Amino acid sequence: MHELSICQGLLRQLLPIAAKHPGRLIQVVLRIGPLSGVEAALLQAAFPIAAKGSVAAEAELVIEHCPLRVRCPLCDAESEASANDLRCGDCGNQQTRLTSGDELLLLSVQFSEESNHV
Amino acid sequence: MCDSCGCNITPGNQHLPQRGEAVAVLQGLLAENDHQALHNREHFDRHGVLAINLMSSPGAGKTALLEATIARLKDRYRIAVIEGDLETENDAERIRAQGVPAIQITTGSACHLDAHMLHHALHKLDLENIDLLFIENVGNLVCPAAFDLGQRANVTLLSTTEGDDKPAKYPLIFRAADLVLLSKIDLLAVLDDFDPAKAEQHLRNLASSAPMLSLSARSGEGMEAWFEWLAQQKCSHQAVNRRSKL
Ligand SMILES: Nc1nc2c(ncn2[C@@H]2O[C@H](COP(=O)(O)OP(=O)(O)O)[C@@H](O)[C@H]2O)c(=O)[nH]1
Ligand SMILES: [Mg+2]
Ligand SMILES: [Zn+2]
Ligand SMILES: [Zn+2]
């Protein structure tokens, strides 16, 4: 379970961004793929614990999931795959390339209109 | 659809800002770790150190493999080991008993090594006098795969006592492997439900073309092919290093 340490890293990434914006941080949006090595549910659970007392204490964590997709170099098809079966959905070739599914990204953040600094 | 009643909010865009200020960031969540890993890699390359990260579940035979490997190769390469473990110094002591330096990282509650922990340990080693550095990661089939340490290659062990479907259950760590070792094959005779061909099939279904070698640190069977793989890695690492210095 390393989701807590990932949250702590996330908060360090948020610091300089929050410092540049006057509003309150109200939302943090991540994109996480099924082959990223991170469990979205665990991250969701760890976030409020890690965020307590930080710039993101009141922020909602939104996790955008992305599909697992592979491209086949043989038949050039792109198909949906599952984490333990990345074969080409068209021809069954095993040597495919992941086109989506290992993302682990901080996409965007949202600040409120009202200012912190009154 | 309109912009007033909320009917335009779909699961895909519900987090999009309604008001206030949205800021696009688009940074990797492991950016800190990846940055440190890059730095570690530069350390290794500058000193001509080939770093190999060993990953497996607890008890798959990483330390036993290292003991047998050091016994056989220590006259050929200057070897050192970084040991990751939740608690004890036991593994480092087993390695030191083989006559090579070992640094123990006790991770406490962290279930994997990260690039910062590794960097800290690196400064306790004389990299100039090391050819081959093994990193024994914390025994865990989930977390270690997510954290780049700066290694040149990943080796994932699967022991015959664990079941041949482990690559299907833990795809990430097996996909990350540059080499998969089926360990403890001396036990195959008594474990009639482990089929090496099935294990390989599961691995191939992960779109991995990593070689899979079978060996036993106990009986010595299959160890030659592992030593050859290491020699090839050493060779190609030197070649890459030389070219980059031209
Ligand atoms: N039969 C057999 N046992 C082994 C072999 N390699 C390791 N073991 C045993 O498996 C246990 C765990 O080994 P260890 O190297 O400590 O695993 P690690 O946790 O991955 O470092 C020990 O009791 C070893 O003696 C092997 O090749 N054959
Ligand atoms: Mg060990
Ligand atoms: Zn972890
Ligand atoms: Zn195909």
Side-chain angles (χ1 to χ4, degrees):
Chain A
M1 237 277 281
H2 47 270
E3 279 72 13
L4 192 60
S5 69
I6 292 194
C7 280
Q8 287 157 348
L10 168 63
L11 292 169
R12 285 191 291 273
Q13 273 172 287
L14 292 175
L15 266 181
I17 304 167
K20 270 187 259 162
H21 293 86
R24 266 181 317 116
L25 189 54
I26 53 171
Q27 194 177 61
V28 176
V29 185
L30 310 181
R31 179 180 294 155
I32 293 184
L35 275 180
S36 66
V38 170
E39 278 302 329
L42 295 179
L43 206 59
Q44 199 61 266
F47 184 75
I49 302 166
K52 204 167 267 172
S54 78
V55 289
E58 288 165 69
E60 168 201 21
L61 184 69
V62 175
I63 298 181
E64 197 178 274
H65 297 270
C66 53
L68 236 169
R69 297 187 68 80
V70 295
R71 180 171 290 280
C72 173
L74 283 186
C75 71
D76 209 39
E78 190 172 314
S79 49
E80 195 103 5
S82 69
N84 58 14
D85 189 354
L86 296 168
R87 286 176 293 180
C88 170
D90 262 32
C91 76
N93 175 31
Q94 291 176 319
Q95 295 307 315
T96 57
R97 200 170 41 75
L98 208 63
T99 53
S100 148
D102 58 358
E103 294 86 344
L104 187 54
L105 289 172
L106 168 56
L107 281 189
S108 63
V109 293
Q110 167 85 18
F111 293 93
S112 67
E113 272 176 319
E114 72 270 34
S115 167
N116 258 341
H117 320 289
V118 258
Chain B
M1 291 213 290
C2 62
D3 284 331
S4 50
C5 76
C7 65
N8 60 340
I9 299 178
T10 64
N13 70 8
Q14 60 184 358
H15 59 271
L16 292 181
Q18 305 305 305
R19 59 184 124 75
E21 192 187 2
V23 180
V25 185
L26 217 70
Q27 277 175 10
L29 273 188
L30 290 174
E32 273 184 340
N33 185 77
D34 293 346
H35 182 79
Q36 182 65 57
L38 198 74
H39 176 75
N40 294 350
R41 196 164 277 124
E42 284 166 2
H43 264 302
F44 293 138
D45 289 346
R46 187 161 52 245
H47 297 285
V49 176
L50 172 66
I52 309 271
N53 179 32
L54 295 180
M55 302 183 286
S56 77
S57 56
K62 297 178 296 300
T63 312
L65 176 74
L66 289 179
E67 290 172 307
T69 303
I70 293 163
R72 187 45 203 284
L73 297 183
K74 71 176 167 196
D75 296 331
R76 186 155 161 208
Y77 304 114
R78 295 167 298 173
I79 301 176
V81 177
I82 292 177
E83 286 287 347
D85 220 327
L86 297 175
E87 291 302 338
T88 68
E89 281 261 335
N90 296 352
D91 284 0
E93 276 156 21
R94 280 166 67 185
I95 297 298
R96 287 180 201 123
Q98 297 295 322
V100 304
I103 307 293
Q104 180 80 49
I105 304 176
T106 44
T107 58
S109 62
C111 39
H112 58 274
L113 293 178
D114 66 34
H116 292 93
M117 296 179 203
L118 192 82
H119 183 250
H120 192 69
L122 285 187
H123 282 273
K124 298 181 190 161
L125 282 172
D126 174 17
L127 292 183
E128 202 42 54
N129 287 306
I130 295 169
D131 303 314
L132 193 50
L133 176 70
F134 291 106
I135 303 157
E136 179 178 337
N137 219 309
V138 180
N140 176 345
L141 284 177
V142 180
C143 310
F147 295 84
D148 186 9
L149 303 177
Q151 72 277 11
R152 165 94 177 157
N154 282 325
V155 175
T156 303
L157 280 76
L158 170 60
S159 69
T160 52
T161 55
E162 293 175 75
D164 49 34
D165 59 349
K166 278 292 184 295
K169 287 186 175 158
Y170 300 94
L172 202 67
I173 204 150
F174 285 95
R175 248 178 81 76
D178 298 293
L179 171 70
V180 174
L181 294 177
L182 287 186
S183 61
K184 308 192 191 180
I185 52 158
D186 56 301
L187 297 177
L188 266 187
V190 291
L191 296 163
D192 50 7
D193 59 344
F194 189 99
D195 182 353
K198 274 201 193 131
E200 174 145 17
Q201 196 53 49
H202 287 304
L203 177 70
R204 298 301 161 227
N205 286 348
L206 304 179
S208 162
S209 52
M212 180 180 260
L213 301 175
S214 302
L215 52 71
S216 163
R218 173 90 39 105
S219 72
E221 190 183 348
M223 292 290 283
E224 283 311 317
W226 154 243
F227 297 146
E228 259 165 49
W229 182 86
L230 281 173
Q232 277 168 13
Q233 294 295 308
K234 190 69 204 155
C235 225
S236 66
H237 184 228
Q238 273 164 347
V240 170
N241 249 0
R242 263 187 224 116
R243 251 176 262 134
S244 68
K245 276 173 191 159
L246 285 183

